[in-house]
Amino acid sequence: MMSKLLASLVALAAVLNGVRGAATPDSSRVLCPDGKNFASNAACCALFPLRDDLQKNLFDGGLCNEEAHESLRLTFHDAIAISPALEAKGIFGGGGADGSIAIFSHIETNFHPNIGLDDIVEKQRPFLQRHKVGVADFIQFAGALGASNCPGAPQLAAFVGRKDATRPAPDGLVPEPFHTPDQIFDRLADASNGEFDPILTVWLLTAHTVAAADDVDPTIPGSPFDSTPGQFDSQFFVETQLRGTLFPGDGPNKGEVQSPLRGEMRLQSDFAIARDSRTACEWQSFVNNQTKVHDMFQFVFHDLSILGQNIDDLVDCTEVVCTRVPMVFYWAQ
């Protein structure tokens, strides 16, 4: 039995080295300028040193830390700021996943739903300056990479070739925790030309399993939305359905309702969508369903990350994003 355990651990180590290390060369791949990584497209090569730098110096050696959580949050706040409905009226509606939240951070991070994001934008800026990657590509890659450090997370899409913003997105395009389900569903449907319906909105909210609130209650910044913020699991969907009994800080605050657990923040919008007749069943379907948590967020993040961009102009570099392999132990019988 000991030899079986040893063999299993050796095999697992080989897999881990494969998914987190250099790609294996073959005739269809190109050797990157660093001389150690291979890529399916040379355009992806710039992401390897960026990945290693972010993992070491922003994500504390590859942890599911606060910067990983905030990097994932930033992907949504940048990408969702697009409105075809405004464009149809002759009004600039934002560029979606175009990096405007960082390029014009002095404007967009002052928008109410973006308050607090100036911190991660500025923490990321030195990395952006060190590497030859577009701002829009950087934001989405950093978020995908940060999420990959959380146990249970899927390998999220990474593309390069996006067009960076030349003007800031207008205010009012990012949903707020005090918005009604109707307001949120309408906003996401507009941003996605109808793709993000109420069901896919639930899928997007899977990100809250590793999220936290900094400014809903400023007295308790970093309050998580479930009891396992370091794991990309289904616990968020469980705990949002429990009866609220307390406010974790000095609540009630705007956008907050009672939480079932001390130290846990419950957003009014999460509470409402979990109970809305259009989404309650879908919400319930995620409970104790890790496969669905994994697969549905992987699907919806792909489309979120390219809002406002032409996918035909992009290069898929998802291979550069780390994949987390769950630890499996074999015990002697």
Side-chain angles (χ1 to χ4, degrees):
M1 281 302 183
M2 184 57 68
S3 61
K4 180 179 179 180
L5 174 60
L6 179 60
S8 299
L9 291 173
V10 170
L12 180 57
V15 172
L16 285 168
N17 286 332
V19 298
R20 289 193 174 268
T24 303
D26 63 46
S27 59
S28 66
R29 304 178 74 82
V30 297
L31 178 63
C32 292
D34 63 9
K36 63 179 182 179
N37 287 297
F38 289 81
S40 57
N41 189 300
C44 300
C45 287
L47 295 183
F48 285 106
L50 173 59
R51 179 192 67 184
D52 296 344
D53 194 7
L54 286 169
Q55 288 288 65
K56 179 181 179 181
N57 298 307
L58 185 64
F59 302 140
D60 295 333
L63 298 181
C64 183
N65 61 2
E66 180 181 359
E67 287 73 24
H69 301 169
E70 289 297 288
S71 294
L72 181 59
R73 180 188 176 206
L74 190 65
T75 65
F76 177 81
H77 285 247
D78 187 51
I80 207 65
I82 183 171
S83 175
L86 286 180
E87 295 284 350
K89 298 176 182 178
I91 304 170
F92 177 62
D98 63 356
S100 65
I101 198 169
I103 297 170
F104 301 99
S105 59
H106 62 290
I107 296 174
E108 292 193 34
T109 60
N110 287 312
F111 296 163
H112 190 266
N114 295 339
I115 290 175
L117 283 172
D118 58 315
D119 183 57
I120 189 62
V121 168
E122 294 310 315
K123 284 183 177 179
Q124 289 183 353
R125 197 173 300 281
F127 297 89
L128 183 58
Q129 293 169 342
R130 285 199 293 269
H131 297 274
K132 296 180 180 180
V133 177
V135 181
D137 293 338
F138 176 93
I139 287 174
Q140 298 301 321
F141 178 73
L145 183 65
S148 78
N149 293 329
C150 304
Q155 184 183 39
L156 298 178
F159 293 94
V160 297
R162 295 176 183 83
K163 295 179 180 178
D164 282 348
T166 58
R167 57 197 294 194
D171 197 1
L173 297 182
V174 180
E176 300 257 31
F178 52 81
H179 284 167
T180 67
D182 282 343
Q183 289 175 302
I184 294 172
F185 297 155
D186 289 348
R187 175 77 279 277
L188 267 61
D190 174 29
S192 63
N193 283 308
E195 179 188 357
F196 294 164
D197 61 10
I199 298 301
L200 268 68
T201 299
V202 174
W203 299 2
L204 279 168
L205 287 170
T206 302
H208 282 187
T209 185
V210 290
D214 285 330
D215 296 287
V216 174
D217 184 342
T219 68
I220 48 169
S223 297
F225 299 143
D226 73 11
S227 59
T228 57
Q231 299 180 47
F232 206 96
D233 58 19
S234 67
Q235 199 61 25
F236 166 72
F237 292 99
V238 175
E239 293 172 15
T240 45
Q241 297 183 79
L242 301 178
R243 183 174 66 88
T245 59
L246 54 86
F247 292 103
D250 69 354
N253 294 280
K254 191 175 183 180
E256 176 190 19
V257 296
Q258 285 188 324
S259 166
L261 300 171
R262 293 189 182 279
E264 179 176 308
M265 171 71 65
R266 175 179 282 176
L267 299 183
Q268 176 184 321
S269 53
D270 290 342
F271 174 86
I273 292 173
R275 290 159 177 78
D276 189 278
S277 61
R278 293 161 289 184
T279 46
C281 289
E282 184 66 14
W283 197 279
Q284 178 66 31
S285 73
F286 278 84
V287 173
N288 294 329
N289 191 339
Q290 182 61 28
T291 298
K292 188 166 188 177
V293 167
H294 177 285
D295 293 353
M296 297 305 97
F297 190 70
Q298 184 178 54
F299 173 88
V300 78
F301 181 86
H302 172 283
D303 291 0
L304 172 74
S305 73
I306 56 174
L307 286 179
Q309 304 286 338
N310 183 350
I311 194 171
D312 294 332
D313 296 335
L314 306 181
V315 176
D316 188 346
C317 298
T318 304
E319 66 199 73
V320 184
V321 178
C322 302
T323 55
R324 178 170 287 278
V325 178
M327 298 298 294
V328 179
F329 295 95
Y330 296 87
W331 301 104
Q333 300 294 319

